[in-house]
Amino acid sequence: LRLFPNATKTRDGVKFFLNSLEWVMIRRSNNLPEVCLVIEAKNEERLEKLHKEYRKVIDEAIAVTK
């Protein structure tokens, strides 16, 4: 969370509030060995941009732990 000051730790994971309409949540799956990425965006174009951006964050975090 130090790297992302706009992040909020929740019961399920970490949620990033980007503005009044958009947010991104990254959490560990409860029953599978995977990471879940949930995005609320104002339109499809923005959704795709956020997905690429936060998928990169996840991939980099996983690479560091290997």
Side-chain angles (χ1 to χ4, degrees):
L1 291 174
R2 289 187 315 249
L3 298 175
F4 301 97
N6 66 331
T8 301
K9 188 174 181 182
T10 68
R11 189 181 90 219
D12 296 327
V14 179
K15 194 168 192 177
F16 302 85
F17 293 94
L18 307 175
N19 55 49
S20 63
L21 298 174
E22 300 177 313
W23 53 266
V24 175
M25 177 179 258
I26 301 173
R27 68 176 186 83
R28 187 174 70 169
S29 173
N30 291 327
N31 56 353
L32 297 170
E34 59 188 37
V35 175
C36 300
L37 177 60
V38 183
I39 302 170
E40 181 75 29
K42 62 183 176 181
N43 58 44
E44 190 73 27
E45 182 180 332
R46 180 75 170 147
L47 174 68
E48 290 175 17
K49 182 177 187 243
L50 290 171
H51 182 267
K52 284 182 184 178
E53 181 180 335
Y54 282 87
R55 175 65 195 259
K56 184 178 176 185
V57 169
I58 292 168
D59 289 344
E60 289 173 356
I62 291 171
V64 168
T65 62
K66 289 186 175 183

